[in-house]
Amino acid sequence: MTIRELASELNVSTSTILRFCNKNNFESYSDFKKAIKKEIFVQNNCVPKEDLQELSEFFIKANSHAFEEKLLFAIKSLRNANLIIFIGMGSSGTLAKYGARYFSNIGHFAVGLEDTFYPIETFQWINTVVVALSESGETEKLIEAIHQFKKKNCCILSITNSSLSTLAKLSDWNFSYNLNTKRINGGYNATTQIPVIFIIEALAKRL
């Protein structure tokens, strides 16, 4: 567009456009157009990194009716619970503490456990919902704890990376985010946990 065409489209004067260009360090309208063209070229040719692409695809799926339907059982269970317990080990334990803190921040009391060494069998768990977090879904001590919670008739909700994991199969409800597992520096797990945080917050906000 020429400067006159742009001015007509925006219902301003050409002088207004030139002042805008000058204030943004462009010597002329032509320089401004060249900068816009260059920026568009850069954006169109910037290929997203693999991790960003994965997360983008996850959030596209989350922005759907199917995602909301998937949450319904968990929301109903959490809404009717007398006690909510988040549990995980390692980095998932940190997320369990975060989940409990986030629920509490918006008015839903919850407790976060970072390890499984608690006398679960000695306590009377009345109408308790346990939210178990594990990327692999195969953490042995966590699975042992879940078996104990199940014996106490607790409702088990889990968030894992795979619906085929042991934890997922033990659960009354499972959300699997299905991202590629990342191992770095000799086998350390670097799989993103952003979907876990998103799901925790989505559940809390919908209660």
Side-chain angles (χ1 to χ4, degrees):
M1 299 176 76
T2 67
I3 190 170
R4 292 185 183 278
E5 289 171 338
L6 181 60
S8 176
E9 185 72 23
L10 298 177
N11 294 315
V12 298
S13 67
T14 55
S15 298
T16 298
I17 294 173
L18 288 173
R19 284 196 297 272
F20 168 83
C21 292
N22 291 334
K23 286 183 178 180
N24 287 279
N25 298 317
F26 297 107
E27 292 185 3
S28 65
Y29 175 67
S30 178
D31 288 340
F32 172 64
K33 286 206 299 182
K34 288 177 182 177
I36 292 291
K37 186 176 181 179
K38 182 179 179 181
E39 180 65 22
I40 292 172
F41 177 82
V42 170
Q43 289 185 4
N44 290 341
N45 289 276
C46 182
V47 179
K49 300 295 184 182
E50 182 184 353
D51 53 350
L52 292 177
Q53 186 66 39
E54 270 196 327
L55 286 173
S56 176
E57 291 172 1
F58 169 79
F59 285 116
I60 288 172
K61 292 177 182 177
N63 186 27
S64 68
H65 183 67
F67 175 79
E68 295 298 332
E69 280 193 333
K70 177 66 177 176
L71 299 185
L72 290 178
F73 178 87
I75 293 168
K76 183 178 179 180
S77 301
L78 291 165
R79 190 175 287 158
N80 295 328
N82 291 337
L83 176 63
I84 299 170
I85 297 175
F86 284 83
I87 187 169
M89 298 185 72
S91 58
S92 292
T94 302
L95 291 174
K97 298 291 282 188
Y98 172 80
R101 180 71 267 167
Y102 191 84
F103 267 58
S104 297
N105 281 351
I106 59 178
H108 307 289
F109 182 79
V111 175
L113 304 181
E114 291 184 85
D115 66 62
T116 59
F117 298 101
Y118 287 85
I120 298 170
E121 69 281 355
T122 65
F123 194 78
Q124 296 300 314
W125 305 96
I126 300 173
N127 196 22
T128 298
V129 172
V130 177
V131 184
L133 309 177
S134 173
E135 187 274 325
S136 70
E138 302 295 344
T139 306
E140 186 176 345
K141 292 298 182 182
L142 177 61
I143 291 170
E144 289 177 7
I146 294 304
H147 277 297
Q148 293 182 54
F149 279 120
K150 285 180 72 70
K151 288 179 182 178
K152 293 293 184 176
N153 297 315
C154 298
C155 177
I156 308 299
L157 312 179
S158 65
I159 303 173
T160 62
N161 196 20
S162 172
S163 60
L164 301 177
S165 64
T166 302
L167 177 57
K169 292 177 180 178
L170 280 173
S171 305
D172 299 294
W173 175 91
N174 169 259
F175 191 104
S176 298
Y177 42 98
N178 300 312
L179 299 184
N180 292 325
T181 299
K182 300 289 193 306
R183 297 285 178 180
I184 62 172
N185 298 333
Y188 291 100
N189 193 342
T191 307
T192 180
Q193 297 292 293
I194 291 175
V196 181
I197 296 172
F198 176 77
I199 296 161
I200 288 171
E201 294 188 3
L203 290 172
K205 290 173 181 176
R206 287 158 176 74
L207 292 186

